[in-house]
């Protein structure tokens, strides 16, 4: 039992600590230039090439919210004559081009393809795009004025098919809960992966890609921000990360909503493996190890923790390897009591434990969804 508990713990440590440390070390050895993972570093580079940019926004939100997002996207340091915005209204939504009214001559509004969903809305928007560079954003976020120029400049390196920007939660960037602390870690890891070769996923709220690299997305796709970059990697491109191309999101989500979001995205990882199986093949996927540790093995976390916890408890209850079994049982009871008291008495620990537990339950929900082939998770 002790060996099983130790093995399970070591596996979790390898996934969440060992892999990021190894990636960071390898990236520091491989990269001989600036830590920027993609591109020229000078935002003026993309501008001097005169490349047209289309900002793509797919939305099911109200006209007022969409107008505010479009106006923010137009407030950029990129040359106005080289910029346009295409808004795709979800086929299942209630907003219409008439309800948006006149915003700017550079803005076009289209209806997403039936039956609806983000992937089909993006397809409709890209068909209408004239830009050589596509910049993707969601409705709730806001860009720095320099974000679009920096994304375009990053694509000055022809090896890169796409580049992700950096999403910051809140203007001050200070994490308010465990989920936001995790996001800071996730951004750091994506940067290290991009320095090494490619980031496994981009941030759907702020990323750019070359227009000629776009492939239409399948209906019902959950994670376009993982499907798109992985498809590019399979085709021989790199996917970068530009930490100075910033988008802000001022929303804060309660634990119940974070659970739904996490369950949805993790279900999307399972769907990706089913719909794009080449990512599972090491001879096809040049970042197979990154995908394995960053996406797949993380799905094993709750099961490893469960096996490790049950094994450790059984070992203690059986006497912890000593001749007096009741000693082990007492140790187990004391540990459980201390953990319960700490969780109940300290609000910060209680909130963190609650969030951590919810995230692991989200993995289980995603596993069930994947086994059932249940991909319609947007309302769950």
């Amino acid at each position: 039992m002790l060996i099983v508990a130790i093995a399970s713990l070591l596996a979790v440590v390898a996934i969440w600590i060992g892999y990021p440390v190894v990636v960071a070390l390898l990236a520091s050895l491989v990269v001989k230039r600036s830590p920027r993972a993609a591109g020229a570093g000078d935002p003026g580079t993309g501008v001097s090439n005169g490349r047209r940019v289309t900002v793509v926004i797919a939305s099911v939100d109200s006209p007022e919210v969409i107008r505010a997002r479009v106006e923010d996207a137009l407030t950029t340091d990129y040359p106005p004559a080289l910029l346009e915005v295409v808004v795709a209204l979800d086929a299942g939504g209630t907003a219409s081009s008439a309800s948006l009214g006149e915003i700017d001559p550079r803005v076009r509004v289209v209806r997403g393809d039936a039956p609806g969903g983000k992937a089909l809305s993006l397809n409709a928007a890209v068909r209408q795009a004239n830009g050589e560079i596509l910049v993707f954003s969601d409705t709730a976020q806001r860009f720095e004025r320099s974000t679009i120029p920096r994304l375009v400049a990053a694509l000055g390196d022809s090896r890169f098919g796409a580049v992700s920007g950096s999403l910051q939660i809140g203007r001050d960037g200070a994490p308010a809960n465990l989920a936001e602390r995790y996001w800071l870690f996730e951004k750091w890891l994506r940067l290290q992966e991009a320095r090494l070769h490619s980031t496994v996923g981009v941030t759907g709220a702020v990323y750019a890609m070359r227009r000629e690299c776009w492939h239409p997305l399948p209906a019902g796709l959950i994670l376009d921000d993982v499907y798109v970059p992985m498809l590019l990697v399979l085709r021989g491109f790199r996917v970068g990360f530009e930490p100075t191309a910033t988008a802000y999101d001022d929303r804060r989500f309660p634990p119940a909503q974070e659970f739904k979001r996490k369950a949805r995205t993790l279900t999307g990882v399972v769907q990706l493996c089913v719909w794009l199986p080449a990512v599972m093949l090491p001879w096809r996927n040049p970042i197979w190890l990154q995908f394995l540790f960053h996406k797949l093995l993380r799905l094993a976390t709750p099961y490893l923790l469960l096996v490790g916890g049950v094994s450790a408890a059984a070992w203690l209850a059986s006497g912890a390897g000593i001749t007096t079994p009741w000693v082990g049982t007492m140790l187990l009871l004391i540990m459980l009591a201390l953990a319960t008291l700490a969780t109940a008495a300290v609000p910060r620990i209680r909130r963190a434990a609650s969030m951590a537990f919810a995230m692991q339950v989200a993995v289980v929900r995603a596993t069930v969804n994947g086994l059932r082939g249940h991909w319609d998770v947007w309302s769950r």
Side-chain angles (χ1 to χ4, degrees):
M1 287 296 183
L2 180 59
I3 294 176
V4 173
I6 293 175
S8 300
L9 176 61
L10 289 177
V12 173
V13 171
I15 294 167
W16 288 97
I17 300 177
Y19 167 69
V21 169
V22 170
V23 168
L25 290 174
L26 290 175
S28 66
L29 293 174
V30 170
V31 178
K32 303 299 182 182
R33 54 185 173 84
S34 164
R36 294 190 180 196
D42 177 10
T45 303
V47 175
S48 62
N49 290 338
R51 289 182 286 182
R52 292 187 58 83
V53 170
T54 301
V55 179
V56 175
I57 302 172
S59 182
V60 293
D61 290 297
S62 67
E64 296 76 19
V65 172
I66 296 172
R67 285 180 62 90
R69 181 68 193 96
V70 171
E71 291 167 358
D72 175 80
L74 294 172
T75 307
T76 173
D77 292 335
Y78 205 75
L82 300 176
L83 182 72
E84 67 173 6
V85 177
V86 177
V87 178
L89 303 176
D90 193 288
T94 57
S96 66
S97 56
S99 65
L100 288 175
E102 293 294 330
I103 302 176
D104 187 282
R106 294 170 293 167
V107 179
R108 278 176 292 146
V109 181
V110 300
R111 176 65 63 179
D113 297 338
K118 184 179 180 182
L120 296 184
S121 296
L122 291 174
N123 289 343
V126 173
R127 286 199 304 270
Q128 299 297 319
N130 296 314
E132 301 164 68
I133 303 295
L134 305 174
V135 174
F136 294 90
S137 178
D138 293 333
T139 317
Q141 294 76 27
R142 298 293 183 265
F143 282 178
E144 287 275 13
R145 293 180 63 94
S146 62
T147 293
I148 293 176
R150 291 186 184 280
L151 290 173
V152 176
L155 288 174
D157 188 330
S158 61
R159 296 173 299 169
F160 291 86
V163 59
S164 177
S166 174
L167 178 64
Q168 180 172 307
I169 308 301
R171 289 286 169 169
D172 59 2
N177 54 45
L178 184 63
E180 293 178 14
R181 289 185 176 86
Y182 163 77
W183 180 240
L184 293 178
F185 163 76
E186 179 72 10
K187 289 196 295 182
W188 172 84
L189 180 56
R190 291 186 183 190
L191 175 60
Q192 307 314 311
E193 290 176 332
R195 294 173 66 197
L196 187 60
H197 185 288
S198 295
T199 178
V200 176
V202 295
T203 302
V206 53
Y207 79 97
M209 69 180 298
R210 301 175 187 279
R211 176 65 174 81
E212 68 268 20
C213 293
W214 172 263
H215 274 214
L217 303 176
L221 181 69
I222 299 172
L223 288 185
D224 61 283
D225 48 7
V226 181
Y227 185 95
V228 168
M230 290 310 303
L231 187 59
L232 286 172
V233 168
L234 293 174
R235 294 167 56 201
F237 291 97
R238 290 179 62 179
V239 178
F241 185 92
E242 176 51 69
T244 64
T246 306
Y248 297 96
D249 193 333
D250 294 324
R251 297 174 299 172
R252 292 292 200 277
F253 297 103
Q257 193 166 350
E258 284 288 355
F259 168 78
K260 291 181 179 180
R261 283 156 47 90
K262 195 65 174 177
R264 182 174 66 241
T265 58
L266 292 172
T267 302
V269 173
V270 181
Q271 183 197 62
L272 176 73
C273 296
V274 176
W275 288 15
L276 193 64
V279 299
M280 305 281 287
L281 306 176
W283 57 89
R284 287 289 311 279
N285 184 357
I287 60 169
W288 179 75
L289 279 175
Q290 292 176 219
F291 183 80
L292 177 68
F293 275 89
H294 194 151
K295 295 298 182 182
L296 290 187
L297 291 181
R298 287 186 179 185
L299 297 177
T301 300
Y303 309 108
L304 290 170
L305 291 174
L306 179 62
V307 170
V310 170
S311 299
W315 176 71
L316 286 170
S318 65
I322 60 179
T323 57
T324 312
W326 67 267
V327 175
T329 303
M330 288 300 299
L331 287 174
L332 175 60
L333 293 175
I334 290 171
M335 291 170 61
L336 291 174
L338 290 175
T340 302
L341 287 173
T343 303
V346 183
R348 180 175 295 182
I349 294 178
R350 184 169 61 251
R351 288 193 297 268
S354 175
M355 182 70 73
F357 179 77
M359 295 304 99
Q360 300 314 308
V361 175
V363 176
V364 178
R365 167 66 67 83
T367 305
V368 173
N369 288 340
L371 291 174
R372 295 174 55 201
H374 181 82
W375 311 127
D376 184 14
V377 294
W378 291 100
S379 60
R380 295 176 68 86

